[in-house]
Amino acid sequence: MQSTLMLENDNIWQEKFNEESLDSEAWLTPNANLFDSITHSIEIANKKKKRKWIILFFIIGLMPLLLLLLPSNPNRSGAINSTDDLITELDSPSVDKEKQEFVNNSETSIIADLKNIEPVTINDNSKITNSTPPNSNNSNGVNDKVQKNENLIIGIDNNQENLEDTNESYSNNEHQISHELSLNKRTKSNPSSELRVLKQLLPIKRIDFLPLPVVQIPLINLPDNKTIGVAPTPFKRKKVQVGFTSEFWNFNLNNNYVTALNPADFNHGNGIGYSAFINFSQSITKKLYFNYGVALQQITFESGHNSSIAYDLSNEAENGMSNQFDLTMASPLGFLNSEVLIQRQSIANDAITDLAIDLNNEHSLTTIDLFVGLNYKVLNYRKLSLGLGIKGGINQLLRINNKLASVNTNHSNFLSESTIITKDQNSIKNLTPYFGSSMNLEFNIDDNNGIGITASLSNSLNPIYQEGDFSTNVIRHNIGMYWSTSF
Amino acid sequence: MHNSINDISVVSKILRGDQAAFKLLYNKYSKVYLLICLRYVKSRSDAEDMLQESWIKIYNDLKQFNPSKGKFIHWSKRIVINTCLQKLRKNSALDSFENIFEIGLNISTTNNAIDKLSLQELTKVIQSLPKGYRTVFNMYVIDGYSHKEISTILEISESTSKTQLLKAKRFLKGHITSPQFDAVNSYA
C-alpha cells in the first residue's frame, strides 16, 4: 500500500515538474540582465577562438619573414674595415719631421684617383714610383697628374675636409692628391708614424687596409671580375611558389555505412573542385628543400537516395493541400535534416497515400590546409628540374553547404513544393590530419623565376566523418600549375 | 518522436547566427530550466548562475543536437541537469549523504496533499531536503534517472541511492503533512 502510494506520488511529482509550459509562473522569470550576461559570455568565448586562429595564421605568415631575416653568407671575402690601427695623433714633433722628409723626398709619389684605382699588394721593399717625378717646386701646390700606380693604391674618399697640416707644401685638392712617399724606410722602421703622416696629409676619410706588411685594399669600379676573383652568383636558398590545382576527392564509406544505406539505393559522387596555394621552400642542401605552406580548397559533390513517406489528408492545413515532412537524409559525410513540403495537385483517392520519393542533395565544402614537407630534386637537366616530395598537414573544414536540389515522387498527383535544409551534418571531423606524396616539374625562366606543374596524392589519417559504426575516409588527388620565385 | 517544427527552425536560425532566434528560444524555455535549477540548489542566485552556464553550454552544443533522436526540450534539459550536478560536485555538495533525524513514519499522505500545493510551494519543499536527499530525489522521481545511472553519476552505490530516496520521501511526507509546514512564496 505504502509503495503504491509512493509510486502514485512519484507520478504527481513528475507531472507537476515536467510541464512544458510555465507561462503562468511569474516567479520563475529569471533576472532581466541574465540574457545579456549569457550573450556577452558567448561573444567573449567566440573572440578567444577567433584570436587563436588569427595568432596561428599570423605566425604562419610571419615565418617566411623570419626566414628572410636569417643571416646569409657574405659574397665577398677579405672585407677590410678596420681603421682602428690609425693613429689619430697628428701634431707631434716626430710627425712634423717626417712630413718634412716626405716633402723633400722626390723619389716616389703616390697619386690617388678616386675614379681609377687598381688593386695591389705591397711588401716591405716596394717603392712607390711615379712616371712623373713630383715637381719639387710644386711643393706648395698639388700635383694634378693622375696615374695608375701598380704597387700601392690607397683608397680615399672624396671629401672637402681641410687638412690640419701646417706644412705649407701640401694643400688639398678636391679629386687628386699627389704625395711623395718613400716606404722602404718607413715601412721597416716605423709603420705607425707612416700611418700618422698618411692620415695627416691625405683627405682620407677611410682607409681600408690590413696591417703592414701586406695590405689589401677595397676596390672601386673593378675593371675585371677575374682579377679580383668575385664569387659566382650565389645559390638561391629560398623559394616561394604560388599556384592553383584541380582537386579530386574520393569519399570512401566504410562497409557498415554502405550496408546501412543500401536499402535506400544510396549513391554519391566524388568531390571535384579547385585549390589555391602558397608554398615556401627553404633549402637544406642544394637538392633537398623543406616546404611549408597553406592552401584553400573549394569542393562540390552530390549524393542521393530513396525514401518513403505517407501523405495523410488529415494532416493538411486548413487552406492548403499539402503535408510537411521532416526528413533525415544521408550523405557521404553523415546525416542531415530537411523539411519538405509535398503538395497534392488534385483529389486523392485514399486518405493516406504511400509515396516513394527520390532525394538528391548537392554539397559544397570550403577547407583550408596547413602543410609541411620535404622535396628532393631528383633530376636537373638544363632548365628543367624534377622533384619528388612527401608532405603532411591538417585540413580544417571552414564551411559546409548543403542543398536539397530535387525531390521527386513516384505519384504525379503529389509534387514537391518547397524544400529547406534544417540541419547540416553534425559528426564531421572539422580537423583532419593527412599524409601524402607529391611530384613537381619546374622550368626555370631565369635565375630567379620559374613555372611548374605539380601533382600530389594524400590520404586522411582519420576519418572525416565518424558516427558510431559509420565512417568515411577521404583520398585526395590534385594536379595544377604554379609560379616560383627564388631569392 | 516528433520535434516541434518551431524548435527545429529556431535552432537552425541560431546555428546561422540569428541572435533574435536565440532570444526566442531563451524566452520559451528559461522558466523550465530555472525550475530545474531551483530544485537542485537552495538559493535563487545559485540557481540563476547555473541557468546562465546551462544556456551557454546549450548554445555551444547546438550543433550536436540531432532532432531525429529526440525532442529539443529533453536534450536541453539533460544539459541543464548535468550542469547543475557538475556545479554541485565542484562545491562538494554531494560529498556527504547523511542520516537526518526522520519525522515519524506514521504520518501518511495522499495525493491530495501534493495536489493542493502550488508549484512554487512544492519547489520550496524540495529545497528543504538535505542536499543528498534532494539530489537523489530530483534525479530519480522527477528527472527519470534509474538508480544505476544515479550511482554512476554521483559515484555512490545503488543501495545508497535507494536509501537516500526512501529517506527523502519520508522527509517530504513529514514536511508536506506537518501542521508546521509553511510555504514561503517570496522569490524576489
Side-chain angles (χ1 to χ4, degrees), chain A residues 357-410:
Chain A
I357 55 173
D358 186 26
L359 303 160
N360 293 295
N361 282 304
E362 291 173 358
H363 317 277
S364 76
L365 303 174
T366 305
T367 68
I368 188 164
D369 264 359
L370 301 173
F371 57 85
V372 295
L374 294 171
N375 189 278
Y376 186 77
K377 272 190 186 175
V378 293
L379 191 63
N380 250 325
Y381 178 69
R382 293 191 181 176
K383 290 195 173 185
L384 278 175
S385 65
L386 177 70
L388 295 177
I390 53 171
K391 68 176 182 180
I394 49 173
N395 182 263
Q396 165 75 37
L397 176 67
L398 296 177
R399 192 175 66 98
I400 181 166
N401 194 23
N402 298 294
K403 182 183 164 190
L404 183 50
S406 67
V407 178
N408 302 313
T409 70
N410 66 336

Side-chain angles (χ1 to χ4, degrees), chain B residues 87-104:
Chain B
K87 194 82 174 178
L88 288 171
R89 288 201 70 82
K90 258 190 197 174
N91 297 340
S92 307
L94 301 174
D95 283 354
S96 62
F97 288 85
E98 304 145 343
N99 277 319
I100 305 294
F101 175 74
E102 294 167 9
I103 296 173

